[in-house]
Amino acid sequence: MASTIAIIGSGISGLAALKCSLEVGLKATCFEKSDSVGGLWNFMEHAEDGRASIYNSVFTNACKEMMCYPDFPIPDEYPNFMHNTVFLEYLKLYAKHFDLLRHIQFKTAVVRIEKRPDFATTGQWNVVTEHDGKQKSAIFDAVLICTGHHVYPNIPLQSFCGIEKFKGQYMHNRDYKHPAKYTGKNVLVVGLGNSGADIAVELGRTAKKVVISSRSGSWIMSRVWDNGYPWDMVYLTRYQSFLSRFLPRVVSDWLYENTMEKRFNHSHYGLVPVNKSLRKEPVFNDDLAASITCGTVTVKPNIREFTETSAIFEDGSVMENIDVIIFATGYSYAYPFMDDSIVKNDKNKVSLYKGVFPPKLEKPTLAVIGLVQSLGGIPPTSDVQARWAVRVINGTCKLPSKEIMIDELNEEEGDKKNWFGRSETLSTDFVTYMDELSSFIGCKPNLSRLSLTDPKLAWEVFFGPCSPYQFRLHGPGKWDGSRKAILNQWNRTIAAMRMRVVPAHQESSSIATLVKILVLPLLLLALFLAWA
Ligand code: FAD
Ligand code: NAP
């Protein structure tokens, strides 16, 4: 039975992995190559090799009730969407609260992990670390990889004809930090993901000209959603997930497209996705439409060809005199410290059972935390993954046979492509995924029991936001504060915005909200059931 565990990285995922390992009594050591916790959320003025790198103006795109660890709410006084420095403070509070720091070896990089010769019977790993230029090797019963997946830039130069002729500067967005040095310049941003949109909007305020080239468009969502609530409090609910899974695809696609088009007509702005029903990650940007309508950002199609100074787009239009091209073309991932055939399938793609366990290992003593991407925040996802992983490692939970895991993976691969498109990371539906993993541990919210014993809570769990607290309501790792946190989540959200007292007689009516959020969808459901 495993007793020692190595955790690589102390970002969101590494901290969750460390805390969950200690929770089940494992002797955990976390290795972190930098000098601090927080991973990607540690803004640095210069990108460092092998570490995530963000720009100064990054804010969270999930709100605080949805982007917290399930047993540690974000402080009341923090805003709903947080600047990276504020969110980093939260991660530090978490590490301190659960006394994690003394288990972390900072400035210590894991340079190699290898199966021990007797792996087939022991499942043990040799972990080689480097600190101050000196290498050390130690044996661990298990390893959790928490090294992040927004680290290695994807610059698909081979897709861009003539780029070798271009005389100006080009770079990946991980090297973009501040807008100041682009003042007065002509900037082309390639890619309409969250990075591309944020950077284009920011540069649009001071650059001479900013163009975004998008090969397939994107839905643009606002952080500020129905009635001013954070988008994810309204949209990421069990009820919405139920509708999208059980309504006929044509109806759920229609509902999805309508939701995405609610704020503005995407085709009028040249943003509409080529495949409108694909659930690829939307862009969260409150200012992009305003920048387009004010003329500070222009959207163009894919690039046909570059010349020495210009880009020719697929519609034949040209952007002349480009000073800088910023490739906001996403990331690919790598595990340079291990033989990556452990996590890759025969098509050379990372393939993990439930996004966590390599299916072909003789012993399930290695897991990857934080690689799966869904619309939900990473902290609850990494928390549930880590809780499950440590229980598989200590033998409390069992994995199916290798054959069953591989069959399931093959089946899921087809379904996911159909639903999420060509995303590099392992995309999934947040509620479905969280429910599946929490059911393995025995902490999935039991709605039928709750509706008999605590109907008020059951209502909020089903119709309200699928907030992280739901996954620590009961079962192993139960947190006594969950019920209160769930029932107070709306109040905390409002309190984080309302700093001026509003007398009761001036309050807007909440009836309209209730009708929109609950009654209309219920009517739709009733109509559908009657029709079916
Ligand atoms: P990371 O934060 O990348 O941490 C990995 C850690 O591992 C680092 O500290 C690194 O130093 C360490 N490490 C790496 N290799 C080694 C090694 N060999 N040895 C020792 N240590 C090592 N997600 C959200 O949920 N909400 C958001 O709002 C959000 N915004 C984002 C904004 C941007 C610009 C980007 C790029 C991503 C965003 N994400 C967001 C996704 C983001 O990846 C996650 O929020 C989160 O940071 C992932 O945490 P992690 O711990 O898995 O990885
Ligand atoms: P991304 O989501 O992967 O987007 C990459 C973009 O590049 C897509 O528009 C993609 O187009 C395009 N692209 C890729 N290869 C291309 C090619 N060969 N030719 C033309 N276009 C190409 O990357 P990202 O925007 O950096 O985001 C990475 C992650 O960080 C996401 O999870 C995101 O949510 C997160 N993030 C969050 C924030 C925040 O506000 N908190 C800010 C930035 C990033 P297709 O769509 O056609 O594939």
Side-chain angles (χ1 to χ4, degrees), residues 68-73 379-380 383 387 468-472 479 482:
C68 58
Y69 293 106
D71 47 0
F72 192 66
D383 182 81
R387 286 164 79 191
Y469 321 116
Q470 293 195 4
F471 301 95
R472 292 232 180 213
W479 174 52
S482 320

Side-chain angles (χ1 to χ4, degrees), residues 162-217:
I163 186 72
E164 69 288 350
K165 290 186 234 154
F166 181 67
K167 290 267 169 58
Q169 182 200 351
Y170 67 81
M171 62 195 226
H172 187 266
N173 69 265
R174 76 180 240 111
D175 291 309
Y176 172 84
K177 295 287 170 181
H178 304 277
K181 69 176 183 195
Y182 305 89
T183 303
K185 301 213 161 146
N186 290 322
V187 186
L188 171 62
V189 178
V190 183
L192 179 57
N194 281 286
S195 301
D198 271 358
I199 292 169
V201 165
E202 181 163 84
L203 291 179
R205 299 189 184 109
T206 50
K208 187 167 168 198
K209 186 177 176 69
V210 177
V211 172
I212 300 185
S213 158
S214 171
R215 70 174 171 187
S216 54

Side-chain angles (χ1 to χ4, degrees), residues 293-516:
T293 202
C294 293
T296 56
V297 172
T298 308
V299 181
K300 291 282 183 179
N302 208 5
I303 296 144
R304 187 198 295 157
E305 188 184 351
F306 284 105
T307 70
E308 288 187 355
T309 54
S310 61
I312 305 168
F313 300 100
E314 278 178 349
D315 60 359
S317 61
V318 181
M319 178 180 182
E320 307 273 11
N321 302 321
I322 302 173
D323 296 301
V324 186
I325 303 169
I326 300 179
F327 284 101
T329 38
Y331 296 86
S332 45
Y333 36 78
Y335 302 105
F337 46 81
M338 69 176 185
D339 166 8
D340 65 6
S341 66
I342 294 174
V343 292
K344 286 190 173 167
N345 62 15
D346 45 13
K347 291 175 208 134
N348 211 27
K349 289 256 168 216
V350 170
S351 177
L352 300 165
Y353 181 65
K354 304 300 170 199
V356 176
F357 280 101
K360 289 185 198 153
L361 278 180
E362 301 92 316
K363 295 269 177 188
T365 55
L366 178 136
V368 180
I369 309 297
L371 182 60
V372 157
Q373 183 139 340
S374 72
L375 272 189
I378 295 277
T381 313
S382 293
D383 182 81
V384 80
Q385 288 180 331
R387 286 164 79 191
W388 177 50
V390 294
R391 282 171 174 77
V392 170
I393 285 165
N394 78 2
T396 324
C397 294
K398 293 267 175 292
L399 292 182
S401 71
K402 180 170 128 184
E403 292 68 30
I404 294 182
M405 289 195 277
I406 292 173
D407 281 355
E408 269 192 41
L409 272 166
N410 291 338
E411 211 172 290
E412 277 170 13
E413 202 184 326
D415 289 352
K416 280 187 180 162
K417 252 200 201 113
N418 199 10
W419 200 250
F420 296 103
R422 60 186 151 199
S423 165
E424 264 285 302
T425 34
L426 307 168
S427 300
T428 190
D429 172 71
F430 176 69
V431 179
T432 317
Y433 184 71
M434 293 292 290
D435 271 354
E436 192 170 27
L437 261 57
S438 56
S439 69
F440 297 158
I441 314 167
C443 65
K444 179 179 160 191
N446 184 335
L447 265 172
S448 0
R449 206 180 63 204
L450 266 188
S451 42
L452 295 175
T453 56
D454 195 343
K456 188 174 167 194
L457 183 62
W459 177 272
E460 189 60 17
V461 167
F462 186 69
F463 288 108
C466 184
S467 48
Y469 321 116
Q470 293 195 4
F471 301 95
R472 292 232 180 213
L473 259 175
H474 44 236
K478 171 180 187 294
W479 174 52
D480 288 339
S482 320
R483 182 179 188 276
K484 191 169 161 220
I486 294 170
L487 295 177
N488 279 327
Q489 56 203 0
W490 293 103
N491 291 339
R492 276 196 309 276
T493 303
I494 296 170
M497 303 183 280
R498 186 159 65 181
M499 300 298 159
R500 172 178 155 254
V501 177
V502 179
H505 71 273
Q506 283 189 348
E507 291 249 10
S508 315
S509 157
S510 56
I511 300 292
T513 318
L514 205 68
V515 168
K516 267 197 201 148

